[in-house]
Amino acid sequence: MPTFYADIPPIEQIKQITDERYYVTVPEDWQIALTDVYRSTKAIEEGRYKDVNAIAAASITALLNVVGREDIPFVFGGDGATVLFPPQFAEEAQRALLATKQLSSSQFNLDL
């Protein structure tokens, strides 16, 4: 089943980034997940940028694993992420993110 995201026409030229035809409203029932590695600046200053990036990427991966073959938008921010997903995945997504938080704490000694 295609999602609203899969139906957005791709941008083929950089100048199209300002073209409003490529912007669409997210459906009201979709969920947004925002993750952030707490005190990431300090961890990066300590040379732990790979750990910070790994945890941020893991939060995206956790949600992609939940939604399976659904096409969902996400943004990787280096020390966190923003992910949109359909409402039917909300409970499982919450569990996946809590597991990622636990992994971050136990394996990397970083708070997500």
Side-chain angles (χ1 to χ4, degrees), residues 68-87:
R69 297 181 61 94
E70 291 279 333
D71 197 7
I72 60 170
F74 63 86
V75 176
F76 173 72
D79 67 343
T82 303
V83 184
L84 298 173
F85 56 92

PDB file of all heavy atoms in Angstrom, residues 68-87:
ATOM      1  N   GLY A  68       8.660  -2.000   8.298  1.00  0.00           N
ATOM      2  CA  GLY A  68       8.890  -2.964   7.232  1.00  0.00           C
ATOM      3  C   GLY A  68       9.073  -2.310   5.885  1.00  0.00           C
ATOM      4  O   GLY A  68       9.936  -1.475   5.715  1.00  0.00           O
ATOM      5  N   ARG A  69       8.234  -2.653   4.940  1.00  0.00           N
ATOM      6  CA  ARG A  69       8.400  -2.183   3.575  1.00  0.00           C
ATOM      7  C   ARG A  69       7.728  -0.841   3.310  1.00  0.00           C
ATOM      8  O   ARG A  69       7.738  -0.355   2.184  1.00  0.00           O
ATOM      9  CB  ARG A  69       7.892  -3.236   2.614  1.00  0.00           C
ATOM     10  CG  ARG A  69       8.700  -4.529   2.702  1.00  0.00           C
ATOM     11  CD  ARG A  69       8.194  -5.559   1.737  1.00  0.00           C
ATOM     12  NE  ARG A  69       8.300  -5.110   0.362  1.00  0.00           N
ATOM     13  CZ  ARG A  69       9.310  -5.363  -0.454  1.00  0.00           C
ATOM     14  NH1 ARG A  69      10.315  -6.059  -0.030  1.00  0.00           N
ATOM     15  NH2 ARG A  69       9.298  -4.927  -1.695  1.00  0.00           N
ATOM     16  N   GLU A  70       7.124  -0.251   4.312  1.00  0.00           N
ATOM     17  CA  GLU A  70       6.517   1.073   4.135  1.00  0.00           C
ATOM     18  C   GLU A  70       7.616   2.077   3.771  1.00  0.00           C
ATOM     19  O   GLU A  70       8.745   1.976   4.230  1.00  0.00           O
ATOM     20  CB  GLU A  70       5.834   1.543   5.420  1.00  0.00           C
ATOM     21  CG  GLU A  70       4.611   0.769   5.788  1.00  0.00           C
ATOM     22  CD  GLU A  70       3.386   1.216   5.017  1.00  0.00           C
ATOM     23  OE1 GLU A  70       3.313   2.373   4.589  1.00  0.00           O
ATOM     24  OE2 GLU A  70       2.498   0.375   4.851  1.00  0.00           O
ATOM     25  N   ASP A  71       7.268   3.043   2.966  1.00  0.00           N
ATOM     26  CA  ASP A  71       8.185   4.103   2.587  1.00  0.00           C
ATOM     27  C   ASP A  71       7.927   5.281   3.512  1.00  0.00           C
ATOM     28  O   ASP A  71       6.856   5.896   3.447  1.00  0.00           O
ATOM     29  CB  ASP A  71       7.939   4.484   1.125  1.00  0.00           C
ATOM     30  CG  ASP A  71       9.078   5.272   0.524  1.00  0.00           C
ATOM     31  OD1 ASP A  71      10.129   5.425   1.168  1.00  0.00           O
ATOM     32  OD2 ASP A  71       8.913   5.745  -0.612  1.00  0.00           O
ATOM     33  N   ILE A  72       8.870   5.576   4.403  1.00  0.00           N
ATOM     34  CA  ILE A  72       8.673   6.653   5.368  1.00  0.00           C
ATOM     35  C   ILE A  72       9.812   7.662   5.286  1.00  0.00           C
ATOM     36  O   ILE A  72      10.951   7.305   4.999  1.00  0.00           O
ATOM     37  CB  ILE A  72       8.539   6.123   6.813  1.00  0.00           C
ATOM     38  CG1 ILE A  72       9.786   5.353   7.244  1.00  0.00           C
ATOM     39  CG2 ILE A  72       7.284   5.272   6.957  1.00  0.00           C
ATOM     40  CD1 ILE A  72       9.833   5.007   8.712  1.00  0.00           C
ATOM     41  N   PRO A  73       9.501   8.914   5.556  1.00  0.00           N
ATOM     42  CA  PRO A  73      10.546   9.947   5.535  1.00  0.00           C
ATOM     43  C   PRO A  73      11.285  10.020   6.867  1.00  0.00           C
ATOM     44  O   PRO A  73      10.699   9.821   7.934  1.00  0.00           O
ATOM     45  CB  PRO A  73       9.766  11.232   5.279  1.00  0.00           C
ATOM     46  CG  PRO A  73       8.403  10.972   5.818  1.00  0.00           C
ATOM     47  CD  PRO A  73       8.162   9.498   5.668  1.00  0.00           C
ATOM     48  N   PHE A  74      12.574  10.282   6.778  1.00  0.00           N
ATOM     49  CA  PHE A  74      13.377  10.492   7.983  1.00  0.00           C
ATOM     50  C   PHE A  74      14.519  11.441   7.671  1.00  0.00           C
ATOM     51  O   PHE A  74      14.929  11.590   6.518  1.00  0.00           O
ATOM     52  CB  PHE A  74      13.912   9.175   8.559  1.00  0.00           C
ATOM     53  CG  PHE A  74      14.847   8.437   7.646  1.00  0.00           C
ATOM     54  CD1 PHE A  74      16.207   8.713   7.629  1.00  0.00           C
ATOM     55  CD2 PHE A  74      14.364   7.451   6.797  1.00  0.00           C
ATOM     56  CE1 PHE A  74      17.065   8.025   6.783  1.00  0.00           C
ATOM     57  CE2 PHE A  74      15.212   6.752   5.949  1.00  0.00           C
ATOM     58  CZ  PHE A  74      16.570   7.040   5.945  1.00  0.00           C
ATOM     59  N   VAL A  75      15.012  12.071   8.723  1.00  0.00           N
ATOM     60  CA  VAL A  75      16.169  12.957   8.617  1.00  0.00           C
ATOM     61  C   VAL A  75      17.165  12.531   9.692  1.00  0.00           C
ATOM     62  O   VAL A  75      16.818  12.434  10.874  1.00  0.00           O
ATOM     63  CB  VAL A  75      15.778  14.440   8.836  1.00  0.00           C
ATOM     64  CG1 VAL A  75      17.011  15.329   8.819  1.00  0.00           C
ATOM     65  CG2 VAL A  75      14.769  14.898   7.797  1.00  0.00           C
ATOM     66  N   PHE A  76      18.392  12.275   9.281  1.00  0.00           N
ATOM     67  CA  PHE A  76      19.482  11.943  10.197  1.00  0.00           C
ATOM     68  C   PHE A  76      20.177  13.233  10.565  1.00  0.00           C
ATOM     69  O   PHE A  76      20.614  13.976   9.689  1.00  0.00           O
ATOM     70  CB  PHE A  76      20.450  10.974   9.517  1.00  0.00           C
ATOM     71  CG  PHE A  76      21.695  10.695  10.306  1.00  0.00           C
ATOM     72  CD1 PHE A  76      21.639   9.924  11.449  1.00  0.00           C
ATOM     73  CD2 PHE A  76      22.917  11.202   9.898  1.00  0.00           C
ATOM     74  CE1 PHE A  76      22.788   9.651  12.176  1.00  0.00           C
ATOM     75  CE2 PHE A  76      24.070  10.937  10.612  1.00  0.00           C
ATOM     76  CZ  PHE A  76      24.013  10.153  11.757  1.00  0.00           C
ATOM     77  N   GLY A  77      20.276  13.507  11.848  1.00  0.00           N
ATOM     78  CA  GLY A  77      20.886  14.750  12.293  1.00  0.00           C
ATOM     79  C   GLY A  77      22.260  14.592  12.908  1.00  0.00           C
ATOM     80  O   GLY A  77      22.803  15.542  13.462  1.00  0.00           O
ATOM     81  N   GLY A  78      22.837  13.400  12.843  1.00  0.00           N
ATOM     82  CA  GLY A  78      24.157  13.180  13.423  1.00  0.00           C
ATOM     83  C   GLY A  78      24.079  12.762  14.880  1.00  0.00           C
ATOM     84  O   GLY A  78      24.676  11.788  15.297  1.00  0.00           O
ATOM     85  N   ASP A  79      23.325  13.548  15.667  1.00  0.00           N
ATOM     86  CA  ASP A  79      23.154  13.215  17.081  1.00  0.00           C
ATOM     87  C   ASP A  79      21.692  12.940  17.416  1.00  0.00           C
ATOM     88  O   ASP A  79      21.294  12.924  18.573  1.00  0.00           O
ATOM     89  CB  ASP A  79      23.705  14.323  17.978  1.00  0.00           C
ATOM     90  CG  ASP A  79      22.922  15.615  17.875  1.00  0.00           C
ATOM     91  OD1 ASP A  79      22.155  15.786  16.901  1.00  0.00           O
ATOM     92  OD2 ASP A  79      23.080  16.476  18.769  1.00  0.00           O
ATOM     93  N   GLY A  80      20.907  12.699  16.388  1.00  0.00           N
ATOM     94  CA  GLY A  80      19.494  12.404  16.573  1.00  0.00           C
ATOM     95  C   GLY A  80      18.832  12.255  15.222  1.00  0.00           C
ATOM     96  O   GLY A  80      19.494  12.265  14.185  1.00  0.00           O
ATOM     97  N   ALA A  81      17.523  12.115  15.269  1.00  0.00           N
ATOM     98  CA  ALA A  81      16.792  11.894  14.029  1.00  0.00           C
ATOM     99  C   ALA A  81      15.351  12.370  14.172  1.00  0.00           C
ATOM    100  O   ALA A  81      14.840  12.510  15.282  1.00  0.00           O
ATOM    101  CB  ALA A  81      16.800  10.412  13.680  1.00  0.00           C
ATOM    102  N   THR A  82      14.727  12.576  13.019  1.00  0.00           N
ATOM    103  CA  THR A  82      13.307  12.859  12.933  1.00  0.00           C
ATOM    104  C   THR A  82      12.730  11.853  11.950  1.00  0.00           C
ATOM    105  O   THR A  82      13.254  11.688  10.848  1.00  0.00           O
ATOM    106  CB  THR A  82      13.055  14.289  12.412  1.00  0.00           C
ATOM    107  OG1 THR A  82      13.721  15.210  13.274  1.00  0.00           O
ATOM    108  CG2 THR A  82      11.570  14.603  12.379  1.00  0.00           C
ATOM    109  N   VAL A  83      11.677  11.157  12.375  1.00  0.00           N
ATOM    110  CA  VAL A  83      11.069  10.119  11.550  1.00  0.00           C
ATOM    111  C   VAL A  83       9.556  10.275  11.588  1.00  0.00           C
ATOM    112  O   VAL A  83       8.982  10.487  12.662  1.00  0.00           O
ATOM    113  CB  VAL A  83      11.452   8.707  12.048  1.00  0.00           C
ATOM    114  CG1 VAL A  83      10.883   7.635  11.129  1.00  0.00           C
ATOM    115  CG2 VAL A  83      12.955   8.557  12.194  1.00  0.00           C
ATOM    116  N   LEU A  84       8.918  10.184  10.436  1.00  0.00           N
ATOM    117  CA  LEU A  84       7.458  10.180  10.346  1.00  0.00           C
ATOM    118  C   LEU A  84       7.004   8.780   9.982  1.00  0.00           C
ATOM    119  O   LEU A  84       7.640   8.115   9.158  1.00  0.00           O
ATOM    120  CB  LEU A  84       6.982  11.153   9.271  1.00  0.00           C
ATOM    121  CG  LEU A  84       7.317  12.617   9.471  1.00  0.00           C
ATOM    122  CD1 LEU A  84       6.934  13.417   8.232  1.00  0.00           C
ATOM    123  CD2 LEU A  84       6.603  13.161  10.683  1.00  0.00           C
ATOM    124  N   PHE A  85       5.885   8.341  10.595  1.00  0.00           N
ATOM    125  CA  PHE A  85       5.400   7.002  10.282  1.00  0.00           C
ATOM    126  C   PHE A  85       3.892   6.919  10.492  1.00  0.00           C
ATOM    127  O   PHE A  85       3.317   7.701  11.250  1.00  0.00           O
ATOM    128  CB  PHE A  85       6.138   5.950  11.118  1.00  0.00           C
ATOM    129  CG  PHE A  85       6.060   6.157  12.595  1.00  0.00           C
ATOM    130  CD1 PHE A  85       5.069   5.566  13.349  1.00  0.00           C
ATOM    131  CD2 PHE A  85       6.992   6.966  13.249  1.00  0.00           C
ATOM    132  CE1 PHE A  85       4.990   5.767  14.717  1.00  0.00           C
ATOM    133  CE2 PHE A  85       6.925   7.168  14.619  1.00  0.00           C
ATOM    134  CZ  PHE A  85       5.917   6.563  15.355  1.00  0.00           C
ATOM    135  N   PRO A  86       3.245   5.960   9.807  1.00  0.00           N
ATOM    136  CA  PRO A  86       1.792   5.811   9.908  1.00  0.00           C
ATOM    137  C   PRO A  86       1.357   5.402  11.315  1.00  0.00           C
ATOM    138  O   PRO A  86       2.104   4.751  12.049  1.00  0.00           O
ATOM    139  CB  PRO A  86       1.474   4.700   8.908  1.00  0.00           C
ATOM    140  CG  PRO A  86       2.650   4.609   8.010  1.00  0.00           C
ATOM    141  CD  PRO A  86       3.831   5.045   8.824  1.00  0.00           C
ATOM    142  N   PRO A  87       0.144   5.756  11.691  1.00  0.00           N
ATOM    143  CA  PRO A  87      -0.330   5.545  13.056  1.00  0.00           C
ATOM    144  C   PRO A  87      -0.426   4.080  13.481  1.00  0.00           C
ATOM    145  O   PRO A  87      -0.300   3.785  14.672  1.00  0.00           O
ATOM    146  CB  PRO A  87      -1.715   6.198  13.063  1.00  0.00           C
ATOM    147  CG  PRO A  87      -2.142   6.212  11.639  1.00  0.00           C
ATOM    148  CD  PRO A  87      -0.882   6.367  10.848  1.00  0.00           C
TER     149      PRO A  87
END
